[in-house]
Amino acid sequence: MRLVLVGPPGAGKGTQAEFVAAHLCVPKISTGDIFRANVSQGTPLGMEAKRYMDAGGLVPDQVTIDMVRDRLAESDASDGFLLDGFPRTVPQAVALDKMLADLGTSLDLVMELVVDDDEVIRRLSGRRNCRSCGKVWHLEFDAPVRDGICDRCNGDLFQRDDDKPETVAERLRVYGRDTAPLIDYYGPQGKLVGMDATGPVEDVTVRAIDALRSYGA
Ligand code: AP5
């Protein structure tokens, strides 16, 4: 299956992507994770991306599209994938359709995770990420036993630079302006399934998998 997860910052795309990709036996491809890995390795791509990420903006379309094209050409993505955070603009969606058409295939489904702005702010202000294994925690909803330490690998936990309140406000604004129009792009194609992403993580996962089953996945 070729699936896209779309939704505002903090909707739980990364959290659900882990479970849904495992259920579908496809790789999870997160453009945010790829950019962050490049930032931490200090690559030229990472240095360019960081300027936009820290300000709550989007990395330019062409940079992002080229990066995704390279990633989708890897062998593990040939039979399916779950894209988390891409596309995020209509030009990226058009480019993805073209990339897949060139490979003789197409997107199967776009799942929209629906949460309101207040919930986004609660989720992002409490998010903590593990520096070693990348696991995502939440101080209120999924807290580690020890303060600041990852239960899975004993790594240090940190708060993402772009989770500061002023940056979150800008990310929400950018989402409304640049990413929300994807709903009008995919809706008429009959590929869009909207899903309530509030409530406990496990309940959202069950809803997501039930929705996929109803589409034959
Ligand atoms: P990216 O990493 O994709 O950020 P995002 O879309 O803003 O999404 P987040 O990672 O913030 O949130 P999420 O929806 O994955 O939520 P999570 O599961 O962590 O991108 C970062 C930046 O990179 C962008 O701003 C941009 O600059 C750049 N970029 C990336 N892709 C790009 C593209 N295509 N084009 C251009 N630029 C691009 O959950 C959030 C928190 O809530 C966690 O703490 C979690 O534990 C908790 N939580 C999750 N689910 C629940 C639940 N059901 N109940 C309670 N808590 C929950």
Side-chain angles (χ1 to χ4, degrees):
M1 166 155 253
R2 292 171 179 82
L3 173 70
V4 163
L5 285 191
V6 71
K13 300 182 296 298
T15 302
Q16 295 303 327
E18 295 281 347
F19 300 115
V20 173
H23 171 79
L24 295 172
C25 299
V26 296
K28 165 189 114 125
I29 300 174
S30 157
T31 43
D33 286 351
I34 301 174
F35 285 135
R36 278 185 290 279
N38 276 274
V39 170
S40 65
Q41 290 156 17
T43 67
L45 173 65
M47 285 189 283
E48 178 173 10
K50 186 171 168 35
R51 288 195 288 135
Y52 300 97
M53 294 167 80
D54 285 354
L58 296 181
V59 180
D61 280 340
Q62 204 50 55
V63 174
T64 309
I65 289 165
D66 290 346
M67 181 179 87
V68 170
R69 183 182 294 107
D70 289 348
R71 180 63 186 87
L72 291 184
E74 290 178 30
S75 57
D76 66 334
S78 60
D79 289 335
F81 51 75
L82 185 161
L83 279 168
D84 159 15
F86 182 93
R88 231 170 165 105
T89 65
V90 170
Q92 291 182 12
V94 172
L96 177 62
D97 283 347
K98 166 96 174 49
M99 269 179 234
L100 295 177
D102 289 347
L103 295 168
T105 183
S106 63
L107 206 56
D108 295 305
L109 206 62
V110 177
M111 188 174 278
E112 181 196 8
L113 302 190
V114 180
V115 297
D116 65 28
D117 288 2
D118 288 345
E119 181 67 11
V120 162
I121 290 161
R122 275 175 79 201
R123 288 186 184 182
L124 294 186
S125 58
R127 175 163 61 183
R128 295 295 180 273
N129 295 58
C130 175
R131 216 174 278 290
S132 304
C133 71
K135 171 146 176 59
V136 178
W137 297 92
H138 193 282
L139 296 181
E140 188 183 342
F141 305 122
D142 183 18
V145 174
R146 294 160 297 171
D147 242 13
I149 307 282
C150 178
D151 289 343
R152 186 158 80 179
C153 77
N154 293 324
D156 286 338
L157 303 186
F158 71 100
Q159 183 173 32
R160 275 171 44 175
D161 285 340
D162 61 353
D163 280 349
K164 304 211 167 94
E166 57 285 8
T167 316
V168 169
E170 176 62 7
R171 288 163 66 197
L172 279 169
R173 202 182 64 78
V174 168
Y175 181 81
R177 185 190 65 198
D178 295 339
T179 309
L182 289 178
I183 305 311
D184 292 333
Y185 179 81
Y186 287 119
Q189 295 181 24
K191 291 187 174 171
L192 185 71
V193 49
M195 210 191 64
D196 173 12
T198 57
V201 169
E202 314 77 60
D203 292 3
V204 180
T205 306
V206 168
R207 252 174 256 147
I209 289 174
D210 282 352
L212 289 170
R213 286 211 177 101
S214 70
Y215 282 84

